[in-house]
Amino acid sequence: EADIYQTPRYLVIGTGKKITLECSQTMGHDKMYWYQQDPGMELHLIHYSYGVNSTEKGDLSSESTVSRIRTEHFPLTLESARPSHTSQYLCASSEHGATYNEQFFGPGTRLTVL
Amino acid sequence: KNEVEQSPQNLTAQEGEFITINCSYSVGISALHWLQQHPGGGIVSLFMLSSGKKKHGRLIATINIQEKHSSLHITASHPRDSAVYICAVSRNDKIIFGKGTRLHILP
């Protein structure tokens, strides 16, 4: 069983609020990822990190930001939430240097912005 | 056209049936993944393969690199197998996901 955690699991919030979605892993993985998934659609990579102080934007443009101050922690922040941000956000991690990139996923945060 | 295509998009079958889900991709890859996503949203990695065939319990995954095609088979299907099955490929240090196949097994 993967040791990767996300909080909160569900969040309903009003427009304009600042939110932070938490993701942490205890496997010592260097690589971490954030994906966005709309209902019935595929996952899209929005952010990733190769290690501490490394952050990169993914394939899907996102207004969110991320930070990687500690290996085990990769929080995602929305400064001003909007209804268009309503989606599921999944965090994942993998070992650095693992050629095949097997990723371990957290349970996801389902965000609803009213 | 998506780089990873799955078929069928939706599949309903009776308990006990043999299930096949197909995945085709159009890019060079280092590995192919099969993932399972339950209604709660969590994703579990089922297989990661770069050639041949792998088996785990009632699940079998095969890949044909020349044809850029993979299949996931479920033998003796059970209602608890109901989930979305996602094919994904590793390419250039990233993973590209298919849209998934929604499987519903009726008791």
Side-chain angles (χ1 to χ4, degrees):
Chain A
E1 191 169 316
D3 296 317
I4 180 163
Y5 310 98
Q6 289 185 244
T7 57
R9 292 292 312 277
Y10 302 91
L11 179 61
V12 180
I13 201 161
T15 297
K17 300 290 186 185
K18 177 179 178 180
I19 59 169
T20 296
L21 307 184
E22 303 288 349
C23 175
S24 60
Q25 49 94 6
T26 57
M27 296 173 282
H29 287 170
D30 285 323
K31 293 181 181 173
M32 296 189 75
Y33 311 82
W34 275 105
Y35 294 94
Q36 184 174 341
Q37 184 184 32
D38 291 331
M41 300 300 289
E42 66 266 47
L43 286 83
H44 289 286
L45 181 67
I46 52 174
H47 298 284
Y48 61 100
S49 166
Y50 287 131
V52 171
N53 294 326
S54 152
T55 60
E56 303 286 343
K57 288 197 177 293
D59 305 318
L60 181 69
S61 175
S62 173
E63 292 165 349
S64 58
T65 59
V66 292
S67 62
R68 190 89 184 274
I69 298 171
R70 301 199 315 266
T71 297
E72 61 272 21
H73 197 215
F74 191 39
L76 180 145
T77 298
L78 276 166
E79 289 293 332
S80 179
R82 295 208 302 270
S84 60
H85 297 138
T86 294
S87 190
Q88 174 160 258
Y89 293 84
L90 287 144
C91 180
S93 71
S94 66
E95 290 183 59
H96 184 66
T99 305
Y100 298 153
N101 246 347
E102 180 176 12
Q103 295 188 5
F104 297 88
F105 286 84
T109 293
R110 195 171 294 277
L111 173 66
T112 302
V113 183
L114 304 175
Chain B
K1 189 179 190 301
N2 290 339
E3 291 169 304
V4 180
E5 295 277 359
Q6 288 185 237
S7 64
Q9 284 186 300
N10 296 283
L11 178 58
T12 298
Q14 290 293 138
E15 183 174 357
E17 285 189 42
F18 181 81
I19 304 298
T20 296
I21 300 171
N22 295 299
C23 175
S24 297
Y25 53 93
S26 57
V27 296
I29 67 171
S30 55
L32 184 140
H33 309 256
W34 282 102
L35 310 164
Q36 180 191 56
Q37 185 172 30
H38 277 285
I43 293 176
V44 174
S45 177
L46 298 175
F47 294 104
M48 183 175 62
L49 64 165
S50 56
S51 66
K53 177 179 173 178
K54 285 190 176 180
K55 184 175 189 293
H56 185 252
R58 295 180 293 108
L59 302 177
I60 303 166
T62 64
I63 187 169
N64 184 318
I65 297 292
Q66 286 73 32
E67 294 186 3
K68 292 188 165 59
H69 180 267
S70 174
S71 294
L72 176 69
H73 305 286
I74 305 175
T75 61
S77 60
H78 190 276
R80 64 175 175 265
D81 297 327
S82 299
V84 176
Y85 291 83
I86 302 170
C87 174
V89 298
S90 294
R91 173 174 168 77
N92 295 335
D93 212 30
K94 291 183 186 175
I95 293 186
I96 305 167
F97 295 86
K99 291 188 176 181
T101 293
R102 190 171 300 275
L103 176 65
H104 187 203
I105 303 297
L106 301 171

